Amino acid sequence: MRASLIGPRVLLRRLREVMAEPISPQDRLDKIVVLIASNMVTEVCSIYVLRSDNLLELYATEGLKREAVHLTNLCVGEGLVGTIAADAHPLNLSEAQSHPAFAYRPETGEDQFHSFLGVPILRAGRTLGVLVVQNKTQRSYNEEEVEALQTTAMVLAEMIAAGELEEIGKTGVDLDLLRPVALEGASFAEGIGLGHVVLHDPRVVVTDLIAEDSEHERTRLDEAINNLRLSVDRLLDDSKIAGSGEHRAILEAYRMFAHDRGWVRRIREALDAGLTAEAAVERVQNDTRARMMRSMDPYLRERLHDLDDLANRLLRELVGRPHGHSAGNMHRDAVIVARNMGAAELLDYQHGSVRGLILEEGAPTSHVAIVARSLGIPTVGQAENATALVEDGDAIIVDGDAGTVHLRPAADVEAAYAEKVRFRAKRQEEYQQLISQPAQTLDGAIVDLLMNAGLLVDLPNVEASGAVGIGLFRTELQFMVASRFPRMTEQRNFYAQVLDAAGSRPVTFRSIDVGGDKVLPFLRTSPEENPAMGWRAIRISLDRPSLLRTQVRALLHAAARRDLRLMFPMLTEVEEFDQARELVEAEIRHLTKFGHVVPKSLKLGAMVEVPSLVFQIDELLQRVDFISIGSNDLMQFFMAVDRGNTRVANRYDTLSVPFLRLLRQIARKADEYNVPVTLCGEIAGRPLDALALLAIGYTKLSMTPASIGPIKSMVRAVDLEDLKKTISPLIGVSDDLSDVRTELAAYAKAHRIPI
Ligand code: PEP
Ligand code: MG
């Protein structure tokens, strides 16, 4: 067949010449269709481009009626062209008209053509258009011709992505590539961020598609594959990086793909068609991505991410760019978009220039979400497919309140958000003025507003937020961002810095709370079916006392001559508190014996996070100096809802009568025993929830620093006695359980309480 005689290589070379000619985009497209048709010996060649209104518009044709250009269009899913766009898969038919999807458009005059070959124009897995060739005879296009047409489609994808075709559409409708997209995800950290996309793992954009010297390209590819395999092997050998568990499994998958003969063979074949090594990798990845994205199998879709990462690594080998993101030189209004990342990676970015974070995966209690929250970075997680839909530099809005993302927002959406940001800034200013004011209710009750912290970056917030202390210091965060177990002296210095920053304000440290989703890469644990209820927190500390002992020693040293407050997480039985206290006392005896200075005062507390502890509350309150309610976990175990699973995490209301009754019972008991009680879960920082907490007797709340302003302005508008009188009956026994949230919102509205 003549097509293969001339070959795709010649076609690509000619295409390159046409691409370089100083002619208009329409003339260029017109030349391209003629070139393809003559090269592939077809009577028709047509290019359809996907518009933002989901129509595929005919942009150029050789062989169909010229009048149809910019007039004919098909919906995605309609006709053969629409089917190719919807499936992102080629159609090769010797008799097009007998295909069930065939849709005849009289203006094109295509009824005389029988055979049909169409391929999607793809970029990063997205369909930008469709390229079609047709013949009058009932011929069947061979594999090489399908390959050649797909390769040509890549050149067109670059033309579309480069913005060349924007101006030649006749209808004024934007191309799909520029379409605003709204993505639904989950709220991981509140706030609104407007900015521009920075891909955490930037895609290498291949612009040099056509090879000058194929032999040279083959050598480059072989070298790059070799380097890639070596680098993956090195990562796996480095136990510090590979660790165990999930991270290791991903690297194992990388290794499997890197050695996969089929993958490498397909890249080599694409190279034989005349592409550069980079373009060959991209071509194969485009096909794989399109194929795998159609698969419903979640395992396969998950592996697609791995294969994408690996292809990107290979591209970086080819262009000689180091791995990793471009944290150093990014715009000042960066919105980082990533598949997922660790807390440490987020901390690598220049804090001041990150306006938002978007993750395809993760859970609101994953450590990167906790760190984002403490840095005040609006974050949306579980935004499916986000990395494939964005281009570096795209305008984007992160709505961390609603859990939505607006990519390339329309002008009115952007204006509405800009207004929202201005409104928030105004409120922040108002909160700023409240910093030196007490959190005092209208009838004179003082509420202690404390902050949650866990990293050095949190410390300036002690001053800036107006918190009266740190009510929860999550010590495990320091362990989680470290690459190895922090030594005793490192821990001591760190805790001393925390105490220095807090000055005269009290700090409540919590002993290390790992397990569940808080994984330490260097602590070997075996996989568990229900990690949230597994070997975690105090259970690990008591089973591995040397870990807790080192931490306690570091705290005792850091707090020498000062006050030390320490509490233990996830206690299930009071005996666990006794054991932990015994360990602390033994450590004090040990230090005193060797002449070390110990803290001026020591207060030991218990976190109430497991419902069983509420049924030992009398025994508990007789032993402890204070208690702190971890309402995130208490709710999780009380209602049997996995707090990290967005499907169920918000299914039951934190203001439901049973949960409020539970919380009220704890507060009453603490009052009876005269033991101070703080609540430090996320609800403490939500104004309406916090209003309910005030109503049932809580006056010490610990929250993310950004919430202190809003909560203080709420507190200052409340008449506490009146609130109690109104809310109490709602929680009492009645025929119907009340909708406390609605009633409380109405109360707040009627009494002008800002929530
Ligand atoms: C809680 O469970 O409410 C809590 C404050 O602890 P963490 O969120 O760290 O588990
Ligand atoms: Mg907890």
Side-chain angles (χ1 to χ4, degrees), residues 201 227-260 263 299 302-303 305-307 309-311 313 316 323 339 345 521:
D201 235 340
N227 288 343
L228 174 76
R229 287 175 176 165
L230 286 174
S231 74
V232 174
D233 287 349
R234 254 198 313 273
L235 285 176
L236 266 165
D237 290 344
D238 185 340
S239 58
K240 262 203 284 202
I241 299 176
S244 59
E246 201 182 351
H247 195 52
R248 182 160 200 98
I250 291 174
L251 286 174
E252 298 276 10
Y254 281 6
R255 171 143 73 184
M256 191 183 80
F257 287 130
H259 288 268
D260 182 276
W263 186 58
Y299 177 78
E302 181 61 24
R303 293 284 76 81
H305 281 305
D306 299 336
L307 198 48
D309 286 350
L310 194 76
R313 271 175 182 270
R316 288 209 207 99
H323 301 300
R339 176 183 164 195
E345 287 173 286

Side-chain angles (χ1 to χ4, degrees), residues 468-683:
V468 297
I470 297 179
L472 164 65
F473 194 90
R474 292 181 162 106
T475 59
E476 66 278 2
L477 292 189
Q478 186 211 8
F479 289 71
M480 277 162 29
V481 298
S483 54
R484 56 170 174 73
F485 220 95
R487 294 196 182 89
M488 197 282 284
T489 48
E490 289 167 325
Q491 292 185 47
R492 182 197 62 200
N493 295 344
F494 180 69
Y495 301 142
Q497 280 185 65
V498 176
L499 290 166
D500 289 345
S504 59
R505 303 175 187 88
V507 179
T508 303
F509 289 97
R510 168 174 78 185
S511 72
I512 187 167
D513 180 11
V514 286
D517 78 317
K518 297 177 192 164
V519 185
L520 298 188
F522 40 83
L523 182 73
R524 283 192 187 280
T525 53
S526 37
E528 296 178 305
E529 195 145 326
N530 291 304
M533 296 188 286
W535 195 54
R536 55 172 292 199
I538 193 71
R539 300 170 186 178
I540 296 183
S541 297
L542 294 177
D543 292 354
R544 294 275 166 83
S546 65
L547 194 151
L548 182 59
R549 203 175 294 127
T550 308
Q551 184 173 35
V552 166
R553 187 171 298 182
L555 284 163
L556 291 170
H557 280 306
R561 295 197 186 86
R562 312 196 232 201
D563 301 315
L564 178 62
R565 297 169 58 85
L566 173 63
M567 63 184 178
F568 305 104
M570 284 287 294
L571 294 166
T572 308
E573 298 180 326
V574 286
E575 286 77 15
E576 290 166 341
F577 178 80
D578 293 340
Q579 287 175 44
R581 184 174 51 193
E582 177 47 40
L583 185 145
V584 176
E585 284 171 354
E587 203 50 40
I588 293 179
R589 283 195 296 276
H590 175 81
L591 291 187
T592 320
K593 190 166 140 198
F594 289 97
H596 290 285
V597 184
V598 290
K600 190 166 75 184
S601 76
L602 171 70
K603 299 254 185 276
L604 294 180
M607 283 196 78
V608 180
E609 316 190 81
V610 181
S612 69
L613 213 52
V614 185
F615 296 87
Q616 309 160 66
I617 196 83
D618 294 273
E619 291 82 355
L620 183 74
L621 290 167
Q622 290 173 53
R623 288 166 155 85
V624 296
D625 296 314
F626 64 94
I627 59 170
S628 186
I629 317 275
S631 57
N632 303 336
D633 277 316
L634 189 58
M635 176 79 183
Q636 148 162 285
F637 297 120
F638 187 62
M639 297 284 191
V641 279
D642 179 349
R643 64 190 258 191
N645 177 346
T646 34
R647 244 183 153 162
V648 293
N650 297 321
R651 189 180 179 102
Y652 305 107
D653 194 356
T654 44
L655 296 191
S656 65
V657 172
F659 194 54
L660 288 177
R661 281 182 187 161
L662 177 79
L663 294 179
R664 184 175 61 175
Q665 191 181 332
I666 303 169
R668 282 182 174 166
K669 279 286 178 187
D671 200 33
E672 188 185 319
Y673 284 89
N674 211 7
V675 171
V677 53
T678 306
L679 188 140
C680 62
E682 298 306 306
I683 57 171

Side-chain angles (χ1 to χ4, degrees), residues 35 55 62 66 70 103 124 163 208 230 242 296 367 399 445 646 648:
L35 197 60
L55 290 180
E62 162 69 4
R66 303 254 333 170
H70 296 302
D208 205 1
L230 286 174
M296 294 312 285
H367 34 283
D399 184 341
T646 34
V648 293

Side-chain angles (χ1 to χ4, degrees), residues 51 53 55 57 59 70-71 73 168-174:
R51 303 188 325 208
D53 55 1
L55 290 180
E57 179 177 323
Y59 260 59
H70 296 302
L71 193 73
N73 49 51
I168 57 174
K170 294 279 184 290
T171 53
V173 182
D174 280 340

